[in-house]
Amino acid sequence: LLWMVMVGGQKQKERKIMSAEQTENPVSLEVRDRIAVITMDSPPVNALGHAVRSGLMNALEKAEGDEGVEAVVIRGGGRCFSGGADIREFGQPPAEPTLRELCARIEDFPKIVVAALHSTAFGGGLELALSSHYRAADETAQVALPEVKLGIVPGSGGTQRLPRIIGAKRALKVILSGDPVAAKAAADLGILDAVIDGDLTDGAVAYAAKLVA
């Protein structure tokens, strides 16, 4: 299905690839001018349960195999990017793909991946964003690893990737406090690469297009 939409005064082609209308697949993918936009849609907070992880893996596979896709944007639908792990899976045997495996897949993805953050990107949600190659956000975004306040160590690479991105001293403060960091402060620390004015998805797509230009 092809159609034309007007965004920021310019026409963009959108090609629908997958649909999240089916409740069993809370992840959708569409292509906007050679940028794949992958959306998590699992209310209320896009928890990274098995269905979301599997959906993201499948979407990444499709994006990788599509020669018309030059970069990927991962975003959260609804109220936030992702609130983190699905508490319903706590105490259960890990089901593949695990969040650690998903983050490794994103980190090693052969095309540029941009995480587009709004509202909360907490716990596993931040770990997913840190595994992306770039992070863009709007002014509502907050990032944190709050599980340390419960005596839980982030288990999907966040404590390794954050120091690599912003340095050990800055990362320790974020990791050990568990406190939320607002968008502007996160950008100042180097956690965010861009703060988007206006529509976040449109801005993240434009940012990704600039990166591959």
Side-chain angles (χ1 to χ4, degrees), residues 2 25-26 36 54 56 78 82 84 89 139 143 147 159-160 171 194:
L2 286 170
N25 181 15
S54 295
L56 287 170
S82 175
E89 295 184 357
E139 293 183 351
V143 300
E147 56 266 55
T159 54
Q160 291 79 46

mmCIF file of all heavy atoms in Angstrom, residues 2 25-26 36 54 56 78 82 84 89 139 143 147 159-160 171 194:
data_model
loop_
_atom_site.group_PDB
_atom_site.id
_atom_site.type_symbol
_atom_site.label_atom_id
_atom_site.label_comp_id
_atom_site.label_asym_id
_atom_site.label_seq_id
_atom_site.Cartn_x
_atom_site.Cartn_y
_atom_site.Cartn_z
ATOM 1 N N LEU A 2 0.656 2.104 -0.985
ATOM 2 C CA LEU A 2 1.428 3.337 -1.104
ATOM 3 C C LEU A 2 0.492 4.523 -0.999
ATOM 4 O O LEU A 2 -0.617 4.516 -1.541
ATOM 5 C CB LEU A 2 2.153 3.396 -2.457
ATOM 6 C CG LEU A 2 3.380 2.494 -2.640
ATOM 7 C CD1 LEU A 2 3.790 2.523 -4.098
ATOM 8 C CD2 LEU A 2 4.518 2.974 -1.783
ATOM 9 N N ASN A 25 0.591 -9.028 17.965
ATOM 10 C CA ASN A 25 1.844 -8.436 17.486
ATOM 11 C C ASN A 25 1.847 -6.951 17.819
ATOM 12 O O ASN A 25 1.341 -6.136 17.049
ATOM 13 C CB ASN A 25 2.008 -8.644 15.981
ATOM 14 C CG ASN A 25 3.316 -8.058 15.476
ATOM 15 O OD1 ASN A 25 4.213 -7.757 16.259
ATOM 16 N ND2 ASN A 25 3.420 -7.875 14.171
ATOM 17 N N PRO A 26 2.414 -6.591 18.971
ATOM 18 C CA PRO A 26 2.379 -5.195 19.406
ATOM 19 C C PRO A 26 3.465 -4.332 18.791
ATOM 20 O O PRO A 26 3.816 -3.301 19.350
ATOM 21 C CB PRO A 26 2.559 -5.312 20.918
ATOM 22 C CG PRO A 26 3.443 -6.510 21.066
ATOM 23 C CD PRO A 26 3.040 -7.464 19.976
ATOM 24 N N ALA A 36 13.082 3.066 8.004
ATOM 25 C CA ALA A 36 12.112 2.171 8.635
ATOM 26 C C ALA A 36 11.759 2.691 10.019
ATOM 27 O O ALA A 36 12.647 2.945 10.831
ATOM 28 C CB ALA A 36 12.683 0.757 8.733
ATOM 29 N N SER A 54 9.929 -10.121 20.632
ATOM 30 C CA SER A 54 9.848 -10.905 19.395
ATOM 31 C C SER A 54 9.437 -10.029 18.219
ATOM 32 O O SER A 54 9.988 -10.160 17.115
ATOM 33 C CB SER A 54 8.839 -12.051 19.564
ATOM 34 O OG SER A 54 9.265 -12.980 20.538
ATOM 35 N N LEU A 56 9.975 -6.829 17.853
ATOM 36 C CA LEU A 56 11.114 -5.988 17.479
ATOM 37 C C LEU A 56 12.138 -6.788 16.677
ATOM 38 O O LEU A 56 12.679 -6.304 15.676
ATOM 39 C CB LEU A 56 11.757 -5.391 18.727
ATOM 40 C CG LEU A 56 10.968 -4.275 19.419
ATOM 41 C CD1 LEU A 56 11.587 -3.938 20.773
ATOM 42 C CD2 LEU A 56 10.907 -3.023 18.550
ATOM 43 N N GLY A 78 1.884 5.645 21.969
ATOM 44 C CA GLY A 78 1.151 5.928 23.194
ATOM 45 C C GLY A 78 1.892 6.846 24.146
ATOM 46 O O GLY A 78 2.570 7.776 23.744
ATOM 47 N N SER A 82 9.294 3.437 26.604
ATOM 48 C CA SER A 82 9.144 2.136 27.273
ATOM 49 C C SER A 82 9.456 2.289 28.750
ATOM 50 O O SER A 82 10.458 2.893 29.124
ATOM 51 C CB SER A 82 10.067 1.074 26.668
ATOM 52 O OG SER A 82 9.984 -0.133 27.409
ATOM 53 N N GLY A 84 10.186 -0.236 30.582
ATOM 54 C CA GLY A 84 11.158 -1.251 30.975
ATOM 55 C C GLY A 84 10.598 -2.653 30.890
ATOM 56 O O GLY A 84 9.696 -2.947 30.102
ATOM 57 N N GLU A 89 6.745 -11.084 33.882
ATOM 58 C CA GLU A 89 7.721 -12.127 33.574
ATOM 59 C C GLU A 89 8.742 -12.331 34.693
ATOM 60 O O GLU A 89 9.591 -13.212 34.589
ATOM 61 C CB GLU A 89 8.447 -11.789 32.271
ATOM 62 C CG GLU A 89 7.531 -11.788 31.056
ATOM 63 C CD GLU A 89 8.272 -11.550 29.755
ATOM 64 O OE1 GLU A 89 9.507 -11.333 29.787
ATOM 65 O OE2 GLU A 89 7.620 -11.573 28.694
ATOM 66 N N GLU A 139 11.246 17.054 24.367
ATOM 67 C CA GLU A 139 11.520 17.678 25.660
ATOM 68 C C GLU A 139 10.834 16.980 26.827
ATOM 69 O O GLU A 139 11.156 17.250 27.989
ATOM 70 C CB GLU A 139 11.119 19.152 25.614
ATOM 71 C CG GLU A 139 11.998 19.981 24.679
ATOM 72 C CD GLU A 139 11.641 21.458 24.698
ATOM 73 O OE1 GLU A 139 10.601 21.799 25.299
ATOM 74 O OE2 GLU A 139 12.395 22.257 24.116
ATOM 75 N N VAL A 143 15.124 9.717 31.247
ATOM 76 C CA VAL A 143 15.793 8.420 31.193
ATOM 77 C C VAL A 143 16.275 8.057 32.593
ATOM 78 O O VAL A 143 16.625 8.925 33.396
ATOM 79 C CB VAL A 143 16.982 8.434 30.206
ATOM 80 C CG1 VAL A 143 16.500 8.779 28.804
ATOM 81 C CG2 VAL A 143 18.064 9.417 30.641
ATOM 82 N N GLU A 147 15.785 0.487 38.581
ATOM 83 C CA GLU A 147 15.740 -0.805 39.256
ATOM 84 C C GLU A 147 16.769 -0.934 40.370
ATOM 85 O O GLU A 147 16.621 -1.773 41.270
ATOM 86 C CB GLU A 147 15.896 -1.945 38.241
ATOM 87 C CG GLU A 147 17.132 -1.894 37.375
ATOM 88 C CD GLU A 147 16.911 -1.212 36.044
ATOM 89 O OE1 GLU A 147 16.437 -0.051 36.053
ATOM 90 O OE2 GLU A 147 17.234 -1.810 35.010
ATOM 91 N N THR A 159 24.706 -1.048 32.133
ATOM 92 C CA THR A 159 25.829 -0.620 32.973
ATOM 93 C C THR A 159 27.157 -0.686 32.229
ATOM 94 O O THR A 159 28.154 -0.143 32.706
ATOM 95 C CB THR A 159 25.916 -1.476 34.246
ATOM 96 O OG1 THR A 159 25.975 -2.859 33.895
ATOM 97 C CG2 THR A 159 24.708 -1.230 35.145
ATOM 98 N N GLN A 160 27.181 -1.342 31.090
ATOM 99 C CA GLN A 160 28.378 -1.355 30.246
ATOM 100 C C GLN A 160 28.313 -0.269 29.171
ATOM 101 O O GLN A 160 29.287 0.442 28.923
ATOM 102 C CB GLN A 160 28.553 -2.716 29.577
ATOM 103 C CG GLN A 160 28.920 -3.845 30.516
ATOM 104 C CD GLN A 160 27.716 -4.380 31.286
ATOM 105 O OE1 GLN A 160 26.661 -4.621 30.700
ATOM 106 N NE2 GLN A 160 27.869 -4.573 32.579
ATOM 107 N N ALA A 171 28.462 8.232 34.215
ATOM 108 C CA ALA A 171 27.574 7.072 34.186
ATOM 109 C C ALA A 171 27.295 6.544 35.589
ATOM 110 O O ALA A 171 26.169 6.142 35.907
ATOM 111 C CB ALA A 171 28.175 5.978 33.320
ATOM 112 N N ALA A 194 20.290 14.168 20.172
ATOM 113 C CA ALA A 194 19.494 15.256 19.609
ATOM 114 C C ALA A 194 18.217 15.410 20.425
ATOM 115 O O ALA A 194 17.627 14.414 20.861
ATOM 116 C CB ALA A 194 19.148 14.972 18.149
#
